[in-house]
Amino acid sequence: MAWTRQEMAKRAAQELKDGYYVNLGIGIPTLVANYIPDGVDVTLQSENGMLGMGPFPFEGEADPDLINAGKQTITELNRTSYFSSADSFSMIRGGHIDLSILGAMQVSQEGDLANWMIPNKMVKGMGGAMDLVAGVKKVVVIMDHNARDGSAKFLKKCTLPLTGVKVVDMIISDVGVFVIEEKGPVLIELAPEISVNDVKERTEADFFADIGLL
Amino acid sequence: MDKLYTDAEAALEGILFDGMTIMAGGFGLCGIPENLIAALKKSGIKDITAISNNAGVDNFGLGLLLQTRQIRKMISSYVGENKEFERQYLAKELDLEFNPQGTLAERIRAGGAGIPGFYTKTGVGTLIAEGKEHKDFNGETYIMETGLKADVSLVKAWKADKEGNLIYRKTARNFNPMMATAGQVTVAEVEEIVETGELDADNIHTPGIFVQRIIKSRDLEKRIEQLTTRPRQEG
């Protein structure tokens, strides 16, 4: 049984450590905020200029001057600070953010990430993704293991334009968890009823399997 | 010098021309100079190079100037909310220069601070790095990015005093403070203008030296792109 999006987010939340400053990308990564483990205090950064992001506002209390990087209305906490985009990316590029969790179209076995462009097809832009992967201490990708047409997204080499080179530290997909090490990717966890062979069939990248040592 | 103007059209008089470079503050539709964008549309100037993190949506923000084909080139980090933009770009009617968001913010900051270029790790090994100078520092590779300036910067703040000292509100600050420093002429649109001396001098976000013209917003819409709320808990 492959993991659902909620289960992937829950697994990613285990990477949050007490005291971390964390930037969550748009989509499944945003869900991670719902599964912060008890006793772990993290501060969420939003790259449009906010540290200490609170939950969505109650109905009728949304403030157009208070949004996250996904342009959703949010709230502040008593620890919140606001700042300019330049200060925001000083935090990101300057290595002050502990963890970034983001989505991916493709990841290579060396940890290259592609998540911003499909030539002649999708023209949206990279937003803050290139800065995040270049500057944040640890980068975790959450993604469906395969594209909608079934093709592999975890590849020997990315075919789409890159967001960053050798930047991904961990991949959480619906079939399992990989850490990218110097020797190559290592599969360290499997979703229930998924075998290493199942994962191999759905993956183009070469990887080691090291299940059950945790 | 009196920096106060009666409205957006008056504040833009004499500083607009075809082919000019304009910076516009805002992140999505949050913290955008609505009145000034409307006046820019009305001016009818053409071939604008617009520097702004986003391109608005189809019928609001800078999207208004895309509808009228007044923009020839955009320098942005993300334009995903604007279908007309995507259409014009794919039809090659519009030039587009994508900058990573942090690189864009720093290029503007540098431009305003008199720094012609800087090195960053962002984008090394990607399309963004092509044709740019590479340099190693302490065993890591960086690329050179250049500072950005504008003929006119249009910014949105919450409050101003008559000296042009500005205070922004919450995440509506975003790119506005850097853009205020990088304009040959900076025009600030604000929600409230107070007497000089009323703002706390220790809490000014943009000092008045960076602001040449000020207007008070009229009929601000402050449109929300993604209204997200949670239900109130029972009891």
Side-chain angles (χ1 to χ4, degrees):
Chain A
M1 280 262 296
W3 282 324
T4 63
R5 297 180 155 220
Q6 307 289 340
E7 286 166 332
M8 286 192 266
K10 208 167 176 177
R11 175 58 188 83
Q14 289 177 30
E15 300 306 310
L16 304 174
K17 304 281 181 277
D18 196 39
Y20 265 19
Y21 293 99
V22 178
N23 184 293
L24 300 177
I26 296 164
I28 313 179
T30 306
L31 301 175
V32 175
N34 299 331
Y35 300 104
I36 298 171
D38 287 343
V40 173
D41 182 49
V42 301
T43 303
L44 300 178
Q45 198 250 19
S46 190
E47 66 264 27
N48 55 318
M50 179 184 201
L51 192 62
M53 190 165 44
F56 294 141
F58 290 122
E59 284 166 24
E61 291 179 6
D63 181 343
D65 287 340
L66 183 43
I67 63 168
N68 64 18
K71 285 117 183 171
Q72 296 171 310
T73 47
I74 46 161
T75 55
E76 64 184 25
L77 305 170
N78 60 12
R79 74 176 65 172
T80 296
S81 57
Y82 298 109
F83 35 82
S84 72
S85 301
D87 285 344
S88 179
F89 283 91
S90 295
M91 295 175 193
I92 290 167
R93 200 190 308 100
H96 306 282
I97 305 284
D98 298 292
L99 177 66
S100 169
I101 303 180
L102 31 82
M105 297 178 196
Q106 296 178 337
V107 181
S108 83
Q109 60 193 32
E110 305 233 286
D112 298 352
L113 171 69
N115 75 348
W116 75 280
M117 187 191 187
I118 304 172
N120 300 319
K121 230 177 172 182
M122 190 195 82
V123 189
K124 289 183 189 297
M126 72 292 284
M130 284 191 182
D131 307 279
L132 282 160
V133 299
V136 172
K137 289 176 198 156
K138 179 172 178 175
V139 173
V140 174
V141 160
I142 304 184
M143 66 175 189
D144 292 326
H145 200 76
N146 297 88
R148 284 211 184 114
D149 64 2
S151 61
K153 294 174 68 173
F154 188 20
L155 307 169
K156 292 187 196 317
K157 256 186 167 331
C158 295
T159 57
L160 293 170
L162 296 180
T163 308
V165 175
K166 295 187 183 177
V167 292
V168 177
D169 297 294
M170 175 180 265
I171 303 169
I172 298 169
S173 81
D174 48 326
V175 299
V177 179
F178 299 85
V179 288
I180 311 272
E181 295 184 1
E182 202 56 45
K183 64 177 179 181
V186 184
L187 176 64
I188 58 164
E189 287 173 48
L190 287 167
E193 296 167 46
I194 301 279
S195 70
V196 174
N197 267 339
D198 293 337
V199 177
K200 274 194 177 145
E201 276 172 22
R202 294 173 56 178
T203 306
E204 187 203 278
D206 294 320
F207 62 89
F208 302 91
D210 201 351
I211 309 290
L213 293 181
L214 292 170
Chain B
M1 194 180 97
D2 190 3
K3 297 183 177 180
L4 298 187
Y5 286 72
T6 52
D7 57 29
E9 280 171 58
L12 295 182
E13 210 175 285
I15 54 173
L16 300 182
F17 54 93
D18 290 346
M20 71 186 299
T21 297
I22 296 178
M23 288 183 186
F27 185 96
L29 300 179
C30 179
I32 61 171
E34 292 183 21
N35 286 200
L36 291 167
I37 290 169
L40 201 52
K41 179 180 173 181
K42 206 166 172 189
S43 78
I45 62 158
K46 299 188 300 283
D47 296 328
I48 298 169
T49 294
I51 301 171
S52 189
N53 188 53
N54 312 97
V57 295
D58 281 333
N59 58 1
F60 201 57
L62 289 182
L64 293 172
L65 302 179
L66 289 167
Q67 279 180 341
T68 52
R69 311 288 180 90
Q70 286 170 270
I71 296 178
R72 186 184 51 79
K73 179 180 180 180
M74 287 245 24
I75 301 177
S76 300
S77 86
Y78 187 84
V79 296
E81 326 292 352
N82 194 313
K83 289 196 182 63
E84 173 63 13
F85 187 103
E86 202 159 356
R87 191 199 67 70
Q88 286 187 24
Y89 175 70
L90 290 173
K92 299 195 183 343
E93 297 167 11
L94 183 73
D95 278 348
L96 170 60
E97 181 186 320
F98 273 132
N99 282 199
Q101 196 175 135
T103 295
L104 181 61
E106 192 63 13
R107 290 184 73 191
I108 298 166
R109 196 194 72 80
I115 296 170
F118 60 93
Y119 294 93
T120 176
K121 260 194 301 192
T122 302
V124 171
T126 75
L127 289 177
I128 298 304
E130 284 178 9
K132 289 177 183 162
E133 185 197 329
H134 287 58
K135 190 167 177 167
D136 286 2
F137 294 87
N138 303 317
E140 278 210 73
T141 304
Y142 295 74
I143 52 173
M144 193 186 79
E145 296 282 359
T146 54
L148 282 172
K149 291 183 188 180
D151 297 308
V152 168
S153 281
L154 308 179
V155 303
K156 164 70 175 52
W158 181 38
K159 288 184 182 181
D161 66 16
K162 292 178 175 172
E163 293 293 311
N165 294 313
L166 304 181
I167 294 178
Y168 307 94
R169 186 171 176 273
K170 302 187 188 285
T171 56
R173 188 182 318 188
N174 55 64
F175 281 80
N176 286 297
M178 295 85 73
M179 289 183 173
T181 70
Q184 187 69 39
V185 178
T186 291
V187 186
E189 171 175 342
V190 305
E191 293 177 45
E192 189 183 347
I193 299 172
V194 301
E195 288 301 324
T196 297
E198 281 185 34
L199 299 178
D200 177 3
D202 265 332
N203 287 300
I204 304 289
H205 297 141
T206 292
I209 190 170
F210 296 118
V211 177
Q212 283 70 47
R213 301 180 178 199
I214 311 162
I215 59 152
K216 186 172 180 308
S217 289
R218 284 182 199 164
D219 305 319
L220 264 191
E221 186 176 339
K222 285 202 174 184
R223 196 183 293 187
I224 291 174
E225 268 179 82
Q226 305 274 344
L227 180 64
T228 44
T229 57
R230 64 193 151 126
R232 262 171 225 282
Q233 255 145 24
E234 306 274 320

